[in-house]
């Protein structure tokens, strides 16, 4: 690939740019599977938070906040209407981009910055015609390059490959203690002190299965143990162990044990 050739971008754009307007009031922001780059276009007073860090400040055109995927964030517009343009960056696309061009790194969380060039790129992306793929891909590439150059930090330690044993044990303990409830990648990544996409990679390399598959296998194991006891209906077992319904549980038990829930219960009765 020559230096002037742009990489082939997926049909789903890796960056989506949209303009938004916020009246005074509270805004809850918790990016799940995307990194958010919020660029202010107007003057307003904002009280913003990332985790336990707070900052109250006056924004102007080009003020920048960066919210990595999975971050616990919120903002309060105190005075004035906040005009913004927000870049939503798919975390998988971001990881692929930085691994190719910069080595393993992740976005820094930024409460307050100023970047006129990024503001112009974001506005241009927001204005581009929906089917102007050439302009969209060029602007997306330029924005991604700018962000990875100025707003990333290297990933160190076990996040380059495997989870540290203590982190893996903490994640496993949390999964088994909460297997029947809602479990998210963001929760598990926070326990391991990694970004969600680097956690997913490290977990898969360490255990040989994805976090989602590991959770579902844990649910199947606990459900199978309950089925063998035989005191609940299959529907009750499914509900008690975090499956959406009985058929969902049956599919995972079949996949895990190559057996149906009924045969597990029947085998116990015969024995």
């Amino acid at each position: 690939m020559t230096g002037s050739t742009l990489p082939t971008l997926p049909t789903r754009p890796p960056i989506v740019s949209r303009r938004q307007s916020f009246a005074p009031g509270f805004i809850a922001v918790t990016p799940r599977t995307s990194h958010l780059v919020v660029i202010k276009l107007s003057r307003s007073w904002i009280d913003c938070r990332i985790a336990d860090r707070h900052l109250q400040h006056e924004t102007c055109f080009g003020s920048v906040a960066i919210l990595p995927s999975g971050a616990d964030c919120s903002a309060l517009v105190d005075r004035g209407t906040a005009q913004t343009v927000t870049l939503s960056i798919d975390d998988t696309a971001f990881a692929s981009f930085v691994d190719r061009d910069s080595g393993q790194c992740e976005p820094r969380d930024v409460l307050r910055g100023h970047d006129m060039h990024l503001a112009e790129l974001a506005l241009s992306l927001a204005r581009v015609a929906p089917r102007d793929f050439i302009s969209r891909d060029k602007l997306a590439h330029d924005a991604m390059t700018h962000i990875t150059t100025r707003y990333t930090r290297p990933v160190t330690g076990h996040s380059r490959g495997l989870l540290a044993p203590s982190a893996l044990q903490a994640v496993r303990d949390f999964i088994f203690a909460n297997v029947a409830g809602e479990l998210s990648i963001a929760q598990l990544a926070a326990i391991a002190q990694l970004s969600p996409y680097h956690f997913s990679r490290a977990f898969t390399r360490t255990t040989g299965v994805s976090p989602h598959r590991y959770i579902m296998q844990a649910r199947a194991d606990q459900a199978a143990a309950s089925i063998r006891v035989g005191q609940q209906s299959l529907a009750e077992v499914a509900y008690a162990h975090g499956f959406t319904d009985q058929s969902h549980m049956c599919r995972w038990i079949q996949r895990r044990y190559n057996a149906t829930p009924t045969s597990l219960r029947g085998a116990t009765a015969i024995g």
Side-chain angles (χ1 to χ4, degrees), residues 172 175-176 179 183 203 207-225 241 243 248-249 251-257:
R172 281 175 166 166
I175 289 173
F176 287 117
V179 73
L183 289 168
F203 186 94
T207 65
V209 296
S210 68
H212 173 71
R213 190 175 187 87
Y214 190 92
I215 291 167
M216 298 312 297
Q217 288 177 348
R219 287 174 173 163
D221 290 342
Q222 292 195 10
H241 293 88
F243 293 96
H248 187 213
M249 178 187 71
R251 288 196 300 273
W252 274 99
I253 288 180
Q254 179 71 43
R255 190 178 301 176
R256 181 77 164 150
Y257 293 95

mmCIF file of all heavy atoms in Angstrom, residues 172 175-176 179 183 203 207-225 241 243 248-249 251-257:
data_model
loop_
_atom_site.group_PDB
_atom_site.id
_atom_site.type_symbol
_atom_site.label_atom_id
_atom_site.label_comp_id
_atom_site.label_asym_id
_atom_site.label_seq_id
_atom_site.Cartn_x
_atom_site.Cartn_y
_atom_site.Cartn_z
ATOM 1 N N ARG A 172 -13.553 -13.459 36.842
ATOM 2 C CA ARG A 172 -14.270 -14.731 36.991
ATOM 3 C C ARG A 172 -15.158 -14.717 38.233
ATOM 4 O O ARG A 172 -16.311 -15.151 38.194
ATOM 5 C CB ARG A 172 -13.271 -15.882 37.077
ATOM 6 C CG ARG A 172 -12.697 -16.307 35.734
ATOM 7 C CD ARG A 172 -11.622 -17.360 35.930
ATOM 8 N NE ARG A 172 -11.285 -18.031 34.683
ATOM 9 C CZ ARG A 172 -10.213 -18.796 34.520
ATOM 10 N NH1 ARG A 172 -9.373 -18.977 35.532
ATOM 11 N NH2 ARG A 172 -9.979 -19.380 33.357
ATOM 12 N N ILE A 175 -18.208 -12.671 37.538
ATOM 13 C CA ILE A 175 -19.139 -13.360 36.637
ATOM 14 C C ILE A 175 -19.936 -14.409 37.395
ATOM 15 O O ILE A 175 -21.171 -14.467 37.303
ATOM 16 C CB ILE A 175 -18.383 -14.000 35.459
ATOM 17 C CG1 ILE A 175 -17.864 -12.915 34.509
ATOM 18 C CG2 ILE A 175 -19.292 -14.975 34.695
ATOM 19 C CD1 ILE A 175 -16.961 -13.444 33.402
ATOM 20 N N PHE A 176 -19.264 -15.244 38.178
ATOM 21 C CA PHE A 176 -19.968 -16.323 38.873
ATOM 22 C C PHE A 176 -20.889 -15.793 39.965
ATOM 23 O O PHE A 176 -21.922 -16.394 40.255
ATOM 24 C CB PHE A 176 -18.963 -17.321 39.446
ATOM 25 C CG PHE A 176 -18.323 -18.186 38.399
ATOM 26 C CD1 PHE A 176 -16.960 -18.135 38.178
ATOM 27 C CD2 PHE A 176 -19.089 -19.026 37.610
ATOM 28 C CE1 PHE A 176 -16.365 -18.920 37.198
ATOM 29 C CE2 PHE A 176 -18.508 -19.813 36.623
ATOM 30 C CZ PHE A 176 -17.147 -19.763 36.415
ATOM 31 N N VAL A 179 -23.939 -14.186 37.685
ATOM 32 C CA VAL A 179 -24.197 -14.842 36.407
ATOM 33 C C VAL A 179 -25.664 -14.758 35.992
ATOM 34 O O VAL A 179 -25.982 -14.781 34.802
ATOM 35 C CB VAL A 179 -23.718 -16.314 36.462
ATOM 36 C CG1 VAL A 179 -24.645 -17.159 37.329
ATOM 37 C CG2 VAL A 179 -23.565 -16.896 35.076
ATOM 38 N N LEU A 183 -24.767 -8.620 32.752
ATOM 39 C CA LEU A 183 -23.314 -8.509 32.752
ATOM 40 C C LEU A 183 -22.880 -7.840 31.456
ATOM 41 O O LEU A 183 -23.254 -8.289 30.376
ATOM 42 C CB LEU A 183 -22.664 -9.897 32.863
ATOM 43 C CG LEU A 183 -22.796 -10.605 34.216
ATOM 44 C CD1 LEU A 183 -22.379 -12.064 34.098
ATOM 45 C CD2 LEU A 183 -21.942 -9.901 35.262
ATOM 46 N N PHE A 203 -9.012 -10.988 27.261
ATOM 47 C CA PHE A 203 -9.779 -12.079 27.857
ATOM 48 C C PHE A 203 -9.840 -13.266 26.901
ATOM 49 O O PHE A 203 -9.648 -14.422 27.306
ATOM 50 C CB PHE A 203 -11.194 -11.601 28.200
ATOM 51 C CG PHE A 203 -12.009 -12.609 28.957
ATOM 52 C CD1 PHE A 203 -12.054 -12.587 30.338
ATOM 53 C CD2 PHE A 203 -12.725 -13.592 28.295
ATOM 54 C CE1 PHE A 203 -12.797 -13.524 31.053
ATOM 55 C CE2 PHE A 203 -13.470 -14.535 28.984
ATOM 56 C CZ PHE A 203 -13.502 -14.496 30.367
ATOM 57 N N THR A 207 -8.370 -16.944 27.864
ATOM 58 C CA THR A 207 -9.266 -18.072 28.142
ATOM 59 C C THR A 207 -9.575 -18.919 26.917
ATOM 60 O O THR A 207 -10.045 -20.049 27.048
ATOM 61 C CB THR A 207 -10.601 -17.564 28.712
ATOM 62 O OG1 THR A 207 -11.282 -16.780 27.712
ATOM 63 C CG2 THR A 207 -10.376 -16.718 29.958
ATOM 64 N N GLY A 208 -9.353 -18.370 25.730
ATOM 65 C CA GLY A 208 -9.671 -19.098 24.507
ATOM 66 C C GLY A 208 -11.091 -18.903 24.022
ATOM 67 O O GLY A 208 -11.463 -19.418 22.966
ATOM 68 N N VAL A 209 -11.905 -18.160 24.785
ATOM 69 C CA VAL A 209 -13.277 -17.860 24.370
ATOM 70 C C VAL A 209 -13.554 -16.389 24.642
ATOM 71 O O VAL A 209 -12.896 -15.756 25.481
ATOM 72 C CB VAL A 209 -14.326 -18.729 25.112
ATOM 73 C CG1 VAL A 209 -14.161 -20.191 24.766
ATOM 74 C CG2 VAL A 209 -14.241 -18.518 26.616
ATOM 75 N N SER A 210 -14.541 -15.841 23.945
ATOM 76 C CA SER A 210 -14.905 -14.442 24.146
ATOM 77 C C SER A 210 -15.586 -14.263 25.497
ATOM 78 O O SER A 210 -16.110 -15.232 26.079
ATOM 79 C CB SER A 210 -15.855 -13.988 23.035
ATOM 80 O OG SER A 210 -17.106 -14.648 23.174
ATOM 81 N N PRO A 211 -15.625 -13.035 26.038
ATOM 82 C CA PRO A 211 -16.339 -12.812 27.300
ATOM 83 C C PRO A 211 -17.797 -13.258 27.239
ATOM 84 O O PRO A 211 -18.304 -13.863 28.187
ATOM 85 C CB PRO A 211 -16.216 -11.297 27.508
ATOM 86 C CG PRO A 211 -14.968 -10.918 26.792
ATOM 87 C CD PRO A 211 -14.923 -11.811 25.589
ATOM 88 N N HIS A 212 -18.474 -12.962 26.122
ATOM 89 C CA HIS A 212 -19.883 -13.357 26.000
ATOM 90 C C HIS A 212 -20.026 -14.874 26.077
ATOM 91 O O HIS A 212 -20.897 -15.391 26.798
ATOM 92 C CB HIS A 212 -20.460 -12.847 24.687
ATOM 93 C CG HIS A 212 -21.846 -13.357 24.407
ATOM 94 N ND1 HIS A 212 -22.950 -12.933 25.115
ATOM 95 C CD2 HIS A 212 -22.300 -14.284 23.511
ATOM 96 C CE1 HIS A 212 -24.032 -13.564 24.670
ATOM 97 N NE2 HIS A 212 -23.662 -14.382 23.702
ATOM 98 N N ARG A 213 -19.180 -15.588 25.352
ATOM 99 C CA ARG A 213 -19.276 -17.051 25.357
ATOM 100 C C ARG A 213 -18.955 -17.612 26.743
ATOM 101 O O ARG A 213 -19.587 -18.568 27.203
ATOM 102 C CB ARG A 213 -18.337 -17.643 24.307
ATOM 103 C CG ARG A 213 -18.557 -19.138 24.082
ATOM 104 C CD ARG A 213 -17.699 -19.655 22.946
ATOM 105 N NE ARG A 213 -18.017 -21.033 22.631
ATOM 106 C CZ ARG A 213 -18.963 -21.418 21.797
ATOM 107 N NH1 ARG A 213 -19.697 -20.506 21.177
ATOM 108 N NH2 ARG A 213 -19.202 -22.695 21.565
ATOM 109 N N TYR A 214 -17.987 -17.019 27.417
ATOM 110 C CA TYR A 214 -17.628 -17.472 28.761
ATOM 111 C C TYR A 214 -18.812 -17.301 29.711
ATOM 112 O O TYR A 214 -19.120 -18.197 30.515
ATOM 113 C CB TYR A 214 -16.425 -16.677 29.270
ATOM 114 C CG TYR A 214 -15.827 -17.215 30.543
ATOM 115 C CD1 TYR A 214 -14.782 -18.125 30.502
ATOM 116 C CD2 TYR A 214 -16.306 -16.823 31.788
ATOM 117 C CE1 TYR A 214 -14.226 -18.629 31.672
ATOM 118 C CE2 TYR A 214 -15.762 -17.317 32.961
ATOM 119 C CZ TYR A 214 -14.719 -18.220 32.896
ATOM 120 O OH TYR A 214 -14.177 -18.722 34.048
ATOM 121 N N ILE A 215 -19.490 -16.160 29.625
ATOM 122 C CA ILE A 215 -20.659 -15.911 30.477
ATOM 123 C C ILE A 215 -21.760 -16.927 30.189
ATOM 124 O O ILE A 215 -22.359 -17.499 31.108
ATOM 125 C CB ILE A 215 -21.175 -14.474 30.261
ATOM 126 C CG1 ILE A 215 -20.177 -13.458 30.827
ATOM 127 C CG2 ILE A 215 -22.551 -14.281 30.912
ATOM 128 C CD1 ILE A 215 -20.447 -12.028 30.402
ATOM 129 N N MET A 216 -22.023 -17.174 28.906
ATOM 130 C CA MET A 216 -23.088 -18.102 28.552
ATOM 131 C C MET A 216 -22.741 -19.532 28.972
ATOM 132 O O MET A 216 -23.612 -20.300 29.392
ATOM 133 C CB MET A 216 -23.370 -18.035 27.053
ATOM 134 C CG MET A 216 -23.847 -16.672 26.560
ATOM 135 S SD MET A 216 -25.181 -15.945 27.556
ATOM 136 C CE MET A 216 -26.480 -17.147 27.312
ATOM 137 N N GLN A 217 -21.469 -19.901 28.883
ATOM 138 C CA GLN A 217 -21.066 -21.227 29.341
ATOM 139 C C GLN A 217 -21.219 -21.354 30.853
ATOM 140 O O GLN A 217 -21.642 -22.408 31.361
ATOM 141 C CB GLN A 217 -19.618 -21.500 28.931
ATOM 142 C CG GLN A 217 -19.442 -21.751 27.440
ATOM 143 C CD GLN A 217 -17.993 -21.955 27.046
ATOM 144 O OE1 GLN A 217 -17.076 -21.699 27.830
ATOM 145 N NE2 GLN A 217 -17.774 -22.405 25.825
ATOM 146 N N ALA A 218 -20.899 -20.288 31.582
ATOM 147 C CA ALA A 218 -21.079 -20.308 33.038
ATOM 148 C C ALA A 218 -22.556 -20.454 33.387
ATOM 149 O O ALA A 218 -22.924 -21.194 34.314
ATOM 150 C CB ALA A 218 -20.507 -19.030 33.648
ATOM 151 N N ARG A 219 -23.411 -19.764 32.650
ATOM 152 C CA ARG A 219 -24.854 -19.896 32.879
ATOM 153 C C ARG A 219 -25.324 -21.313 32.565
ATOM 154 O O ARG A 219 -26.139 -21.884 33.303
ATOM 155 C CB ARG A 219 -25.606 -18.875 32.024
ATOM 156 C CG ARG A 219 -25.474 -17.449 32.537
ATOM 157 C CD ARG A 219 -26.098 -16.437 31.610
ATOM 158 N NE ARG A 219 -26.082 -15.109 32.221
ATOM 159 C CZ ARG A 219 -26.250 -13.976 31.558
ATOM 160 N NH1 ARG A 219 -26.456 -13.996 30.245
ATOM 161 N NH2 ARG A 219 -26.220 -12.819 32.199
ATOM 162 N N ALA A 220 -24.807 -21.877 31.481
ATOM 163 C CA ALA A 220 -25.192 -23.245 31.115
ATOM 164 C C ALA A 220 -24.750 -24.238 32.184
ATOM 165 O O ALA A 220 -25.492 -25.170 32.527
ATOM 166 C CB ALA A 220 -24.593 -23.610 29.757
ATOM 167 N N ASP A 221 -23.543 -24.052 32.731
ATOM 168 C CA ASP A 221 -23.043 -24.961 33.770
ATOM 169 C C ASP A 221 -23.920 -24.909 35.017
ATOM 170 O O ASP A 221 -24.276 -25.950 35.597
ATOM 171 C CB ASP A 221 -21.605 -24.596 34.138
ATOM 172 C CG ASP A 221 -20.615 -24.925 33.036
ATOM 173 O OD1 ASP A 221 -20.952 -25.719 32.138
ATOM 174 O OD2 ASP A 221 -19.492 -24.374 33.072
ATOM 175 N N GLN A 222 -24.266 -23.692 35.443
ATOM 176 C CA GLN A 222 -25.089 -23.563 36.644
ATOM 177 C C GLN A 222 -26.511 -24.059 36.396
ATOM 178 O O GLN A 222 -27.125 -24.675 37.270
ATOM 179 C CB GLN A 222 -25.088 -22.114 37.127
ATOM 180 C CG GLN A 222 -23.731 -21.666 37.652
ATOM 181 C CD GLN A 222 -23.799 -20.376 38.454
ATOM 182 O OE1 GLN A 222 -24.874 -19.893 38.791
ATOM 183 N NE2 GLN A 222 -22.640 -19.816 38.776
ATOM 184 N N ALA A 223 -27.019 -23.803 35.193
ATOM 185 C CA ALA A 223 -28.358 -24.291 34.861
ATOM 186 C C ALA A 223 -28.378 -25.818 34.827
ATOM 187 O O ALA A 223 -29.321 -26.456 35.324
ATOM 188 C CB ALA A 223 -28.804 -23.725 33.517
ATOM 189 N N ALA A 224 -27.340 -26.426 34.260
ATOM 190 C CA ALA A 224 -27.273 -27.889 34.200
ATOM 191 C C ALA A 224 -27.251 -28.493 35.597
ATOM 192 O O ALA A 224 -27.902 -29.520 35.862
ATOM 193 C CB ALA A 224 -26.034 -28.319 33.415
ATOM 194 N N ALA A 225 -26.522 -27.856 36.515
ATOM 195 C CA ALA A 225 -26.484 -28.350 37.894
ATOM 196 C C ALA A 225 -27.866 -28.287 38.530
ATOM 197 O O ALA A 225 -28.289 -29.209 39.247
ATOM 198 C CB ALA A 225 -25.481 -27.538 38.704
ATOM 199 N N HIS A 241 -31.210 -18.373 35.868
ATOM 200 C CA HIS A 241 -29.790 -18.360 35.511
ATOM 201 C C HIS A 241 -29.468 -17.409 34.359
ATOM 202 O O HIS A 241 -28.442 -17.560 33.689
ATOM 203 C CB HIS A 241 -29.319 -19.782 35.192
ATOM 204 C CG HIS A 241 -29.320 -20.676 36.396
ATOM 205 N ND1 HIS A 241 -30.429 -21.403 36.771
ATOM 206 C CD2 HIS A 241 -28.363 -20.925 37.335
ATOM 207 C CE1 HIS A 241 -30.154 -22.083 37.877
ATOM 208 N NE2 HIS A 241 -28.909 -21.808 38.241
ATOM 209 N N PHE A 243 -30.994 -16.635 31.398
ATOM 210 C CA PHE A 243 -31.356 -16.841 29.999
ATOM 211 C C PHE A 243 -32.639 -16.080 29.677
ATOM 212 O O PHE A 243 -33.476 -15.856 30.555
ATOM 213 C CB PHE A 243 -31.542 -18.333 29.705
ATOM 214 C CG PHE A 243 -30.272 -19.128 29.798
ATOM 215 C CD1 PHE A 243 -29.947 -19.806 30.957
ATOM 216 C CD2 PHE A 243 -29.392 -19.182 28.732
ATOM 217 C CE1 PHE A 243 -28.769 -20.530 31.061
ATOM 218 C CE2 PHE A 243 -28.209 -19.908 28.814
ATOM 219 C CZ PHE A 243 -27.893 -20.576 29.982
ATOM 220 N N HIS A 248 -33.691 -20.555 24.785
ATOM 221 C CA HIS A 248 -32.343 -19.982 24.814
ATOM 222 C C HIS A 248 -31.423 -20.848 25.674
ATOM 223 O O HIS A 248 -30.283 -21.160 25.284
ATOM 224 C CB HIS A 248 -32.423 -18.554 25.365
ATOM 225 C CG HIS A 248 -31.135 -17.799 25.295
ATOM 226 N ND1 HIS A 248 -30.769 -16.863 26.238
ATOM 227 C CD2 HIS A 248 -30.110 -17.848 24.402
ATOM 228 C CE1 HIS A 248 -29.592 -16.364 25.924
ATOM 229 N NE2 HIS A 248 -29.166 -16.941 24.816
ATOM 230 N N MET A 249 -31.908 -21.258 26.837
ATOM 231 C CA MET A 249 -31.130 -22.129 27.712
ATOM 232 C C MET A 249 -30.856 -23.474 27.044
ATOM 233 O O MET A 249 -29.732 -23.998 27.105
ATOM 234 C CB MET A 249 -31.866 -22.345 29.028
ATOM 235 C CG MET A 249 -31.144 -23.282 29.993
ATOM 236 S SD MET A 249 -32.122 -23.682 31.460
ATOM 237 C CE MET A 249 -33.396 -24.746 30.726
ATOM 238 N N ARG A 251 -30.575 -24.240 23.917
ATOM 239 C CA ARG A 251 -29.561 -24.144 22.865
ATOM 240 C C ARG A 251 -28.158 -24.144 23.460
ATOM 241 O O ARG A 251 -27.255 -24.802 22.943
ATOM 242 C CB ARG A 251 -29.782 -22.886 22.030
ATOM 243 C CG ARG A 251 -30.990 -22.947 21.121
ATOM 244 C CD ARG A 251 -30.942 -21.863 20.065
ATOM 245 N NE ARG A 251 -30.910 -20.525 20.626
ATOM 246 C CZ ARG A 251 -31.990 -19.816 20.959
ATOM 247 N NH1 ARG A 251 -33.204 -20.342 20.805
ATOM 248 N NH2 ARG A 251 -31.879 -18.596 21.453
ATOM 249 N N TRP A 252 -27.963 -23.409 24.560
ATOM 250 C CA TRP A 252 -26.628 -23.324 25.147
ATOM 251 C C TRP A 252 -26.238 -24.620 25.857
ATOM 252 O O TRP A 252 -25.069 -25.016 25.830
ATOM 253 C CB TRP A 252 -26.545 -22.128 26.093
ATOM 254 C CG TRP A 252 -26.188 -20.886 25.340
ATOM 255 C CD1 TRP A 252 -27.022 -19.909 24.907
ATOM 256 C CD2 TRP A 252 -24.880 -20.524 24.886
ATOM 257 N NE1 TRP A 252 -26.327 -18.947 24.212
ATOM 258 C CE2 TRP A 252 -25.011 -19.303 24.187
ATOM 259 C CE3 TRP A 252 -23.621 -21.107 24.994
ATOM 260 C CZ2 TRP A 252 -23.916 -18.658 23.605
ATOM 261 C CZ3 TRP A 252 -22.533 -20.464 24.418
ATOM 262 C CH2 TRP A 252 -22.689 -19.260 23.735
ATOM 263 N N ILE A 253 -27.185 -25.290 26.481
ATOM 264 C CA ILE A 253 -26.866 -26.576 27.110
ATOM 265 C C ILE A 253 -26.536 -27.617 26.046
ATOM 266 O O ILE A 253 -25.606 -28.416 26.202
ATOM 267 C CB ILE A 253 -28.032 -27.030 28.012
ATOM 268 C CG1 ILE A 253 -28.066 -26.154 29.271
ATOM 269 C CG2 ILE A 253 -27.904 -28.505 28.376
ATOM 270 C CD1 ILE A 253 -29.173 -26.492 30.240
ATOM 271 N N GLN A 254 -27.269 -27.606 24.947
ATOM 272 C CA GLN A 254 -26.970 -28.522 23.843
ATOM 273 C C GLN A 254 -25.565 -28.260 23.302
ATOM 274 O O GLN A 254 -24.790 -29.187 23.040
ATOM 275 C CB GLN A 254 -28.009 -28.340 22.730
ATOM 276 C CG GLN A 254 -27.784 -29.221 21.505
ATOM 277 C CD GLN A 254 -28.081 -30.685 21.770
ATOM 278 O OE1 GLN A 254 -29.076 -31.008 22.414
ATOM 279 N NE2 GLN A 254 -27.224 -31.578 21.282
ATOM 280 N N ARG A 255 -25.230 -26.990 23.157
ATOM 281 C CA ARG A 255 -23.918 -26.616 22.637
ATOM 282 C C ARG A 255 -22.807 -26.994 23.611
ATOM 283 O O ARG A 255 -21.731 -27.431 23.210
ATOM 284 C CB ARG A 255 -23.909 -25.103 22.384
ATOM 285 C CG ARG A 255 -22.712 -24.579 21.631
ATOM 286 C CD ARG A 255 -22.838 -23.079 21.406
ATOM 287 N NE ARG A 255 -24.034 -22.725 20.666
ATOM 288 C CZ ARG A 255 -24.414 -21.476 20.412
ATOM 289 N NH1 ARG A 255 -23.693 -20.462 20.859
ATOM 290 N NH2 ARG A 255 -25.512 -21.237 19.732
ATOM 291 N N ARG A 256 -23.087 -26.850 24.899
ATOM 292 C CA ARG A 256 -22.075 -27.083 25.928
ATOM 293 C C ARG A 256 -21.888 -28.563 26.232
ATOM 294 O O ARG A 256 -20.761 -29.040 26.405
ATOM 295 C CB ARG A 256 -22.492 -26.337 27.199
ATOM 296 C CG ARG A 256 -21.538 -26.456 28.382
ATOM 297 C CD ARG A 256 -20.340 -25.590 28.218
ATOM 298 N NE ARG A 256 -19.620 -25.407 29.463
ATOM 299 C CZ ARG A 256 -18.320 -25.199 29.540
ATOM 300 N NH1 ARG A 256 -17.591 -25.159 28.442
ATOM 301 N NH2 ARG A 256 -17.728 -25.019 30.703
ATOM 302 N N TYR A 257 -23.005 -29.318 26.319
ATOM 303 C CA TYR A 257 -22.946 -30.705 26.771
ATOM 304 C C TYR A 257 -23.306 -31.722 25.692
ATOM 305 O O TYR A 257 -23.270 -32.929 25.944
ATOM 306 C CB TYR A 257 -23.900 -30.898 27.963
ATOM 307 C CG TYR A 257 -23.482 -30.150 29.198
ATOM 308 C CD1 TYR A 257 -23.996 -28.889 29.473
ATOM 309 C CD2 TYR A 257 -22.559 -30.696 30.081
ATOM 310 C CE1 TYR A 257 -23.612 -28.188 30.606
ATOM 311 C CE2 TYR A 257 -22.168 -30.010 31.217
ATOM 312 C CZ TYR A 257 -22.696 -28.753 31.472
ATOM 313 O OH TYR A 257 -22.299 -28.065 32.595
#
